[in-house]
Amino acid sequence: MELDTRALALLPLVLASLATFLQPAAANDGTPRPGGGFSLRLVPYGGWNSTMHVDGGGFLHLNEQAATTALRPQIHGPRGFTYSVATTVGTGRGRRTYDLVLDTASSLTWMQCVPIAHPFAQIPPPFNPDISPSFSRVSRKSSLCHGPSPRQTCEFRATRLDGTHASGVLGNETFAFANDGGAAAAAEVRGVVFGCVHTATGFDSHGVLAGVLGLGRMRPSLIWTRLHQHGQDGRFSYCLFGPGRPSRHGFLRFGADIPATGHMRSTKILYMQYTTSPDFSAYFISVVGISVAEKALVRPPGQRQMRDLFRRHKSPDGRWNGGCLIDPWTGTTAIIQPVYHVLEHAVEEHVTRLGLPVVKRDGYRLCFGGATQAAFEHLPTVTLRFEEGAGLVIRPQQLFVFVQRDICLAVVRSEHMTIIGAMQQVDTRFVYDIAAAKIRFAPERCSDDTGGQN
Ligand SMILES: *[C@@H]1O[C@H](CO)[C@@H](O)[C@H](O)[C@H]1NC(C)=O
Ligand SMILES: *[C@@H]1O[C@H](CO)[C@@H](O)[C@H](O)[C@H]1NC(C)=O
């Protein structure tokens, strides 16, 4: 069955209208900056209770009945790997705390604001700028503003290829971040530019989420503002935990709050010059190879070198394509087509050798039947190898899901680019170091990152 991976929560095409005006972060001196840290509560959403459970070996089981209705048409792989961050917005009577989706691929934080044309469900009710004394609209004259706007206010549109579309006006507001994500705010940040969304379509709020916390590397993202406007430590970090763990939440940590983890590997963030691409706000990293069970895959016949297949390049139509980015808002990893097929073939060969026959299942490209406990112990890992030699090892528990008695490959095929999604990031700590232009990572039991709080 052909699956249209464009329907996945894939390409976070960000701020097409703002993008051309933004400058790339000049983040190359690598010097640590002063400034305290803080940690925000990171909460998973997506009906983990009803649609999935994790067995003793750490494998995810999708409840077929629930999964079928929960999966959007033509998506394979589990949904529900959406993480949100509690963010307090506004002052006075307008002050509210909202859960915003963690998104590192876009630089604009946005949320629903009254008046709303076709509201999506959220808790608490949408932000009302009229009753927050600290709210102001960003002027048309601001350098953040782009494109003709009939009124004096600065309008914006944000689009992702998964169909999420949001538009409204840019606002300027005081945000507060509570260390424990609770009501008592610790850190207030004034002058945060965010999207006050009056029209949104395609956004899955799970009935709760109010919008998106954009931690992309460009203005006006929170991390950009911290580093460039407040001269603070330009690092943030998270460690995503999967379902079936006792934790109810983890933390999105900033600056000095990031734990010192030994033996971290790192890879450089690619700062691309061609900033007219609408998706340059994302963190692109350089993948040069991929292995299955530690055996490097070779390029498909007649194709370019592996590293070139993963490289971001300009297509004849003038658009930028390919490349590899890392994004916790994308549920599962998508791999660029020619490489995906080689990967699929290698996984099939490895697993059938364990005695598990290939079986057909709707919504998945590769499933195996007759799984036995003995076979699980020999399922392969997949390693993405980065330019500087570091490799991200994805364990079988993050590669396969159980659908009834069968196991299916949860990594999917992409026509446009490679994206390291949330499920494959589980149980690895990632530190995004914007000043040093590095992403560092190391395996960790993420359910242990509870910060001593509940
Ligand atoms: C999910 O399970 C936890 C306990 O494991 C429970 O506290 C929580 O209320 C459940 N949530 C739903 C939506 O059923
Ligand atoms: C946001 O408001 C603050 C004052 O509270 C101001 O200093 C800052 O320039 C404003 N930012 C933008 C982009 O309008």
Side-chain angles (χ1 to χ4, degrees), residues 136-139 142 144 172 190-191 193:
S136 64
R137 292 181 206 287
V138 170
S139 151
S142 162
L144 279 166
N172 184 341
R190 282 161 206 235
V193 172

Side-chain angles (χ1 to χ4, degrees), residues 47-50 248:
W48 283 4
N49 288 19
S50 54
R248 306 293 296 152

Side-chain angles (χ1 to χ4, degrees), residues 72-375:
R72 283 191 232 177
Q74 300 191 314
I75 293 184
H76 51 174
R79 286 184 65 225
F81 283 87
T82 300
Y83 296 81
S84 73
V85 179
T87 306
T88 300
V89 185
T91 51
R93 280 197 303 133
R95 186 183 182 110
R96 294 277 184 287
T97 298
Y98 295 110
D99 289 328
L100 304 178
V101 177
L102 174 63
D103 178 16
T104 64
S106 62
S107 289
L108 186 73
T109 293
W110 62 257
M111 69 197 68
Q112 283 196 124
C113 285
V114 290
I116 302 161
H118 301 285
F120 56 75
Q122 64 165 82
I123 300 171
F127 182 65
N128 183 353
D130 292 343
I131 56 169
S132 172
S134 46
F135 179 86
S136 64
R137 292 181 206 287
V138 170
S139 151
R140 273 271 291 120
K141 298 195 189 86
S142 162
S143 61
L144 279 166
C145 200
H146 170 61
S149 221
R151 279 160 255 144
Q152 277 312 303
T153 52
C154 175
E155 297 180 6
F156 79 95
R157 280 161 200 283
T159 305
R160 267 169 83 100
L161 268 202
D162 69 348
T164 306
H165 177 88
S167 61
V169 298
L170 287 187
N172 184 341
E173 184 52 289
T174 299
F175 278 44
F177 300 103
N179 263 333
D180 62 355
E188 282 214 342
V189 186
R190 282 161 206 235
V192 176
V193 172
F194 76 108
C196 218
V197 167
H198 300 309
T199 311
T201 49
F203 178 69
D204 186 0
S205 70
H206 299 279
V208 176
L209 306 171
V212 172
L213 182 71
L215 281 173
R217 58 192 182 79
M218 311 298 299
R219 198 160 69 129
S221 106
L222 184 62
I223 195 68
W224 189 96
T225 306
R226 249 179 89 77
L227 178 66
H228 295 276
Q229 266 171 17
H230 301 292
Q232 282 162 332
D233 180 336
R235 291 181 304 145
F236 68 90
S237 174
Y238 57 74
C239 192
L240 303 181
F241 58 94
R245 291 292 174 80
S247 339
R248 306 293 296 152
H249 66 84
F251 286 98
L252 171 66
R253 298 182 181 280
F254 289 84
D257 263 28
I258 298 172
T261 305
H263 309 293
M264 290 198 109
R265 291 153 191 259
S266 74
T267 187
K268 67 169 188 271
I269 298 168
L270 301 177
Y271 287 98
M272 286 170 282
Q273 301 307 314
Y274 27 90
T275 52
T276 48
S277 162
D279 47 7
F280 67 91
S281 203
Y283 297 94
F284 280 95
I285 53 184
S286 163
V287 176
V288 297
I290 184 165
S291 311
V292 170
E294 291 168 25
K295 197 161 152 253
L297 302 183
V298 294
R299 62 172 154 167
Q303 285 279 3
R304 289 167 292 159
Q305 299 288 348
M306 275 294 182
R307 65 164 63 222
D308 292 330
L309 292 174
F310 279 114
R311 186 167 285 157
R312 193 151 172 79
H313 59 274
K314 205 169 191 172
S315 303
D317 64 2
R319 295 173 138 187
W320 286 94
N321 247 313
C324 174
L325 63 88
I326 177 161
D327 176 31
W329 190 13
T330 299
T332 196
T333 294
I335 293 182
I336 193 83
Q337 259 195 75
V339 179
Y340 176 84
H341 292 298
V342 181
L343 172 78
E344 196 181 71
H345 184 71
V347 169
E348 181 177 332
E349 219 171 52
H350 184 106
V351 178
T352 49
R353 247 188 286 123
L354 300 175
L356 308 189
V358 171
V359 294
K360 286 262 165 260
R361 262 198 176 277
D362 273 357
Y364 294 87
R365 286 183 54 93
L366 184 60
C367 296
F368 305 92
T372 61
Q373 197 57 47

